[in-house]
Amino acid sequence: MAFELGTPSLICRWRLANGGLPLENRHLRAFSQRGVDPALVSWAKQHIEWTLSDGAAGNPDGVLMVVVDEEGQAAMSVGPYKALGDTSINALLQRAMQAQTEASRTGVAPETLWAVTAGQITSYLDPAEKLAGASSLVSDLMVAHHLQFTYEAQISDAQALAAADEVFLVSDEHGVVAAAGKLGKYAKQMVADYQKLLASFS
């Protein structure tokens, strides 16, 4: 009987680079904190290498997708990466809000919104939540650059974000993406560090 995946309850999209998974350990740690069965975490660890060897040849800089259904069954595949077409504040805000809705179920938001106003850096993330792979990377990079930031559980509205000096999305799939017209020195640093990580897999 052929394997059939049921209704998805969790979908993870992780960015690849040159056929590898740069944030593998961070992604797996966050995956284990999403309330999945420990056996599923072990399965994911084993299948990443197999899936990449099979599918990454055609999409070496693509996206590794892990889908878990309501019965706890899972599937893993590799597909092409598609950059965000709309990077407006409203578009990034909507993505971050959808990610927070997911976090209310799983405890981990795959995308988080960050803003900088008068040098004050804010991560719109509930401090009680566990960090997704990319969010944990950026948080560590902030510390490495001796940059202080605060967590804010409630995301500002579009009008408040429009008044910020910088706004950027941190995503497991898309990395660090600055909102249109809101790219400043802090976002540039995070984008550069993330791109350097991807390039290190060449």
Side-chain angles (χ1 to χ4, degrees):
M1 183 176 179
F3 170 74
E4 291 186 7
L5 202 63
T7 302
S9 63
L10 175 64
I11 300 176
C12 299
R13 294 181 175 89
W14 301 332
R15 183 74 177 276
L16 302 179
N18 198 36
L21 185 60
L23 299 180
E24 180 174 346
N25 290 336
R26 293 177 185 269
H27 288 319
L28 286 173
R29 181 168 63 245
F31 185 64
S32 71
Q33 295 169 333
R34 283 179 160 101
V36 300
D37 190 294
L40 202 55
V41 179
S42 298
W43 171 88
K45 289 180 180 178
Q46 294 173 349
H47 279 70
I48 285 175
E49 183 177 353
W50 300 340
T51 302
L52 291 181
S53 64
D54 288 340
N59 295 285
D61 299 310
V63 175
L64 178 70
M65 186 164 68
V66 182
V67 181
V68 182
D69 71 11
E70 294 175 336
E71 301 300 321
Q73 300 181 109
M76 187 179 291
S77 62
V78 173
Y81 170 71
K82 296 181 180 179
L84 286 178
D86 186 353
T87 60
S88 65
I89 288 177
N90 279 333
L92 299 191
L93 175 60
Q94 289 303 312
R95 293 187 69 93
M97 291 178 68
Q98 290 172 3
Q100 281 200 339
T101 298
E102 178 177 327
S104 68
R105 294 187 297 103
T106 67
V108 178
E111 298 183 326
T112 56
L113 201 62
W114 295 62
V116 183
T117 302
Q120 300 297 312
I121 306 171
T122 301
S123 173
Y124 291 104
L125 179 72
D126 189 331
E129 292 176 12
K130 302 298 184 181
L131 296 178
S135 293
S136 71
L137 172 68
V138 168
S139 295
D140 287 348
L141 288 173
M142 289 284 183
V143 173
H145 288 294
H146 306 290
L147 299 173
Q148 295 185 339
F149 63 94
T150 58
Y151 289 113
E152 180 63 52
Q154 186 66 38
I155 298 180
S156 294
D157 58 28
Q159 185 175 1
L161 290 172
D165 300 315
E166 301 182 37
V167 178
F168 56 95
L169 185 76
V170 176
S171 165
D172 281 349
E173 180 178 4
H174 299 286
V176 182
V177 181
K182 293 295 181 179
L183 178 63
K185 67 176 183 179
Y186 298 109
K188 285 180 179 178
Q189 183 67 65
M190 294 302 108
V191 170
D193 287 351
Y194 180 77
Q195 291 300 326
K196 186 183 300 182
L197 174 65
L198 297 188
S200 70
F201 273 68
S202 61

